[in-house]
Amino acid sequence: MPGKGKGGKRRKGGSTRSGGGKGRLGNMTEEERMIYLEQQRLAEEEYRKQREDFLSAYLQGKITNEEKFSRLNLHKLNHQWRNIMREAKSRELRKDIEILSQTFERVVDRKESVLRSLARDIEEADGQMNLAVRAHLQNVDRLVDIQAQRMRRLGEEYRAELETVREEFDSEAAWVAERHAAEMKDLQDVMFGMKENFTEKEVDARTEFHSMRDEIKNRNNEEKHALRVLLEVKVDEYWRQFNEAKKAYNEATREKKLNFENLKAKDEASAKEIDRQMRRLQKIGADMSSLKQRMASNSRLYEERNRMLKEEREKMVLHFQQLKAQMARIKDQQRQRLTKMTLESNEALKGLRAQNDKADRILKSAEMCRRLETEEEKVLPFPASSLTPEEQEDLSAAVQEEPLEPLARAASKYRGLEEFWRRYNRGLLDKLALEKERSALQVENGQLRSLLKQYLDGVSVNEEVLAAANPLLVINGRSNTGGLQPAAADPRVRAAPTVTVEAGNEVRNRKA
């Protein structure tokens, strides 16, 4: 009842606080009342939040402790299980070790016998490989000698053709040089003759010019003397009149005269300069005309010479191009022959590599097959012939005869594989015998499964058995089961496991 007392006190206190709060709210304004209620609400929320935080921390601690205990218990359980499993595993490993030791001893014995047989095979294979290597090296040396002889022959042919072309080229170059020298000498002679002709013509023209100039000068002197005598009288008269007019004119035009004299001096100087330039231009024109004539005559001559030289040059270029094309064709032929030889050698190498790979595969297959051989096959790898001595003699006589048919000739090339085919046929016969035995066992297994199904149907009673043919239902001494049917689909009859029988063991069992 102490709890009730406390609860009563709380309710009493609460009612007192609520009564005091109501009396206090009655004395407050609306704004103070709202503030007071807000403060109460915040206090209650703070109290509730602290309580929730306390509860969450308490629960989180309990969860942490539970997790620690769970991990500890799990660790203890795992430790106990490890001990139990270690003991069980130790027992299993001891049994496995015993089994493996026995198996290992058997395997070691078998491997020792295999190693002895392999050592014998390796000795035989080494002998065969040495023979093959010697034959291969002889073939390679023969091919190298053939190739060296062929290369020497081709080199001699190439050097001979090169020497011939070089001699032809040197002779043609010497002929062209001689002809060029002769034509240059002819051109020099023509130039010397033209120069001598021009010099003679120039001397004749200069002589004729001087004679005409002297004649014209004498005639002018005579006419000038006659005119001088005739004009002296007029000149005197005119000189007197001129002096009078001059005096009057000088007095009237003294300043103009001074200007005129200055201009006259300038005019004379200009006239002299013009005359000098005109003479120079005339000389230059004459030189240009003579040079043009010489150039025209030389151009005609040189055009003819250049045309002839151009024709010769075109012929030489054409011949050079023909020689170049011939050399290019020879180079192409040599390159094609070299390419063909390279391709053939590459094909030969590829063929040899393919043969080598094929031989490696055959050797690997032989090694894999040798691992599966029985002891008898390892001791006697090639089975004895089943032919009688008379049949063997007939066969050897037939083999020594020359075959006539193509197929027989082709088969005669593979006489060395008779032992292999004999061994292969023996393995093929063993395979066919095992397949026949397997089919017979499968038929017997089907019959046994059918009998087992009928037996199970006879000893069990259900709707399916009653609806189907039942061996227990006998009418007039006859069962309604028509015959033995395979019951592979019946879940009560389990299929026989597939048993792999090693060929060696099978052969030993048969012989036993």
Side-chain angles (χ1 to χ4, degrees):
M1 301 310 293
K4 290 184 179 180
K6 288 181 180 178
K9 288 180 180 179
R10 282 181 190 160
R11 283 195 296 272
K12 186 176 179 180
S15 63
T16 305
R17 281 197 303 271
S18 62
K22 287 180 180 179
R24 196 179 302 165
L25 287 174
N27 298 325
M28 292 180 182
T29 60
E30 186 67 25
E31 185 177 356
E32 292 175 350
R33 187 184 297 112
M34 290 178 67
I35 292 170
Y36 177 73
L37 293 174
E38 184 67 22
Q39 289 176 355
Q40 274 191 346
R41 188 179 61 80
L42 291 173
E44 290 176 357
E45 288 181 357
E46 184 68 23
Y47 174 72
R48 188 171 58 255
K49 186 176 181 182
Q50 289 177 358
R51 186 177 179 183
E52 290 176 356
D53 292 339
F54 176 74
L55 291 174
S56 62
Y58 176 72
L59 294 174
Q60 188 67 32
K62 289 188 72 175
I63 291 169
T64 305
N65 293 329
E66 289 293 332
E67 290 178 352
K68 289 180 181 178
F69 294 144
S70 299
R71 286 195 295 271
L72 180 60
N73 294 329
L74 182 62
H75 180 69
K76 290 179 179 179
L77 290 172
N78 289 332
H79 181 67
Q80 294 295 330
W81 272 111
R82 284 195 192 99
N83 293 330
I84 294 169
M85 293 174 71
R86 278 197 201 98
E87 293 176 358
K89 190 66 176 177
S90 299
R91 288 192 296 272
E92 291 178 1
L93 290 174
R94 289 191 190 93
K95 292 179 182 179
D96 294 339
I97 288 169
E98 292 176 359
I99 295 169
L100 288 173
S101 63
Q102 296 173 3
T103 307
F104 179 73
E105 290 175 358
R106 290 195 299 272
V107 171
V108 166
D109 295 335
R110 191 182 303 115
K111 293 295 182 183
E112 287 178 356
S113 62
V114 171
L115 286 173
R116 287 193 293 272
S117 63
L118 287 176
R120 291 193 298 272
D121 295 338
I122 286 171
E123 291 176 357
E124 295 176 359
D126 286 337
Q128 294 176 0
M129 187 186 72
N130 293 328
L131 291 174
V133 168
R134 284 197 294 273
H136 176 68
L137 292 176
Q138 290 176 1
N139 293 328
V140 170
D141 294 336
R142 194 179 302 111
L143 290 173
V144 170
D145 295 336
I146 293 169
Q147 181 65 20
Q149 293 175 2
R150 189 166 178 269
M151 291 301 294
R152 285 197 295 272
R153 186 176 67 256
L154 292 175
E156 291 174 359
E157 292 178 359
Y158 174 75
R159 284 191 290 273
E161 292 179 359
L162 181 64
E163 190 65 28
T164 304
V165 173
R166 186 178 294 167
E167 290 176 357
E168 292 178 357
F169 180 77
D170 292 338
S171 60
E172 290 180 1
W175 178 76
V176 170
E178 290 175 359
R179 185 160 184 181
H180 177 70
E183 289 180 354
M184 289 298 295
K185 188 176 180 181
D186 294 340
L187 288 174
Q188 290 176 359
D189 294 338
V190 170
M191 291 291 293
F192 180 75
M194 290 179 64
K195 189 174 182 180
E196 291 293 330
N197 189 11
F198 177 74
T199 305
E200 292 176 358
K201 288 182 180 180
E202 185 179 7
V203 170
D204 294 338
R206 193 180 296 278
T207 304
E208 185 178 358
F209 172 73
H210 285 303
S211 62
M212 289 178 68
R213 187 183 66 179
D214 294 338
E215 185 180 355
I216 292 168
K217 187 175 181 181
N218 292 330
R219 189 167 59 249
N220 287 333
N221 288 331
E222 290 176 359
E223 290 178 357
K224 184 178 180 182
H225 183 69
L227 288 173
R228 183 180 296 170
V229 173
L230 213 140
L231 291 173
E232 281 181 356
V233 178
K234 292 182 179 181
V235 168
D236 292 338
E237 182 64 24
Y238 288 149
W239 184 252
R240 186 179 60 78
Q241 294 177 0
F242 177 73
N243 287 330
E244 292 177 356
K246 181 180 178 182
K247 186 177 180 180
Y249 181 75
N250 287 332
E251 291 177 356
T253 60
R254 187 180 300 276
E255 294 178 358
K256 292 181 179 181
K257 184 178 179 182
L258 294 173
N259 295 329
F260 174 73
E261 288 178 355
N262 293 327
L263 293 174
K264 184 178 179 182
K266 293 180 180 180
D267 183 61
E268 288 176 355
S270 299
K272 289 179 181 178
E273 182 66 24
I274 290 169
D275 189 14
R276 186 172 64 78
Q277 295 292 336
M278 288 297 293
R279 286 196 300 274
R280 186 177 177 185
L281 289 172
Q282 289 175 359
K283 186 178 179 180
I284 292 170
D287 293 338
M288 288 177 64
S289 61
S290 64
L291 289 173
K292 285 180 181 179
Q293 292 176 0
R294 289 175 63 185
M295 285 175 64
S297 62
N298 291 332
S299 65
R300 287 193 295 272
L301 180 63
Y302 288 138
E303 282 177 359
E304 184 66 22
R305 296 289 183 184
N306 290 331
R307 185 180 61 79
M308 294 174 66
L309 290 173
K310 190 174 181 181
E311 291 177 355
E312 292 293 333
R313 178 178 172 276
E314 289 176 354
K315 290 179 181 178
M316 289 294 296
V317 169
L318 181 61
H319 185 62
F320 174 73
Q321 290 177 354
Q322 290 176 356
L323 291 175
K324 189 175 180 181
Q326 187 177 0
M327 290 181 69
R329 286 195 299 273
I330 293 171
K331 288 182 180 179
D332 292 336
Q333 291 176 0
Q334 295 296 329
R335 189 182 296 108
Q336 290 176 0
R337 293 171 69 182
L338 181 60
T339 305
K340 184 178 179 182
M341 183 181 67
T342 305
L343 293 174
E344 289 177 353
S345 63
N346 290 331
E347 289 178 357
L349 289 173
K350 289 179 181 178
L352 291 173
R353 290 195 190 97
Q355 294 292 333
N356 192 11
D357 295 338
K358 188 175 180 180
D360 291 338
R361 290 197 299 271
I362 290 171
L363 291 174
K364 290 179 181 178
S365 300
E367 290 177 1
M368 294 174 65
C369 293
R370 194 174 291 114
R371 294 174 185 173
L372 301 175
E373 289 178 353
T374 61
E375 294 295 335
E376 183 182 358
E377 291 176 346
K378 290 177 182 178
V379 175
L380 296 174
F382 300 106
S385 177
S386 60
L387 300 176
T388 62
E390 293 79 6
E391 292 176 348
Q392 290 182 357
E393 291 177 359
D394 295 338
L395 181 61
S396 60
V399 167
Q400 291 178 359
E401 292 179 358
E402 185 68 23
L404 300 177
E405 297 181 357
L407 183 60
R409 285 197 297 271
S412 64
K413 298 179 181 178
Y414 302 99
R415 291 172 184 170
L417 297 175
E418 289 180 359
E419 298 293 338
F420 168 76
W421 288 118
R422 191 183 300 168
R423 192 172 182 182
Y424 175 77
N425 292 330
R426 180 180 176 182
L428 187 61
L429 289 173
D430 291 340
K431 180 184 174 183
L432 293 175
L434 290 173
E435 288 180 352
K436 188 174 181 181
E437 186 175 357
R438 181 183 177 185
S439 61
L441 290 173
Q442 286 178 352
V443 171
E444 185 179 357
N445 188 20
Q447 292 175 358
L448 292 173
R449 291 173 67 185
S450 178
L451 291 172
L452 181 60
K453 182 178 182 303
Q454 290 181 6
Y455 173 75
L456 293 175
D457 290 340
V459 299
S460 61
V461 178
N462 52 34
E463 294 180 359
E464 184 180 358
V465 172
L466 294 176
N470 195 340
L472 296 178
L473 184 60
V474 178
I475 301 173
N476 296 327
R478 293 183 181 181
S479 176
N480 63 350
T481 55
L484 298 176
Q485 300 294 332
D490 196 340
R492 296 171 298 177
V493 181
R494 185 171 58 184
T498 303
V499 180
T500 303
V501 181
E502 190 176 355
N505 297 329
E506 184 66 22
V507 170
R508 284 199 296 270
N509 293 331
R510 279 197 220 167
K511 290 186 176 181

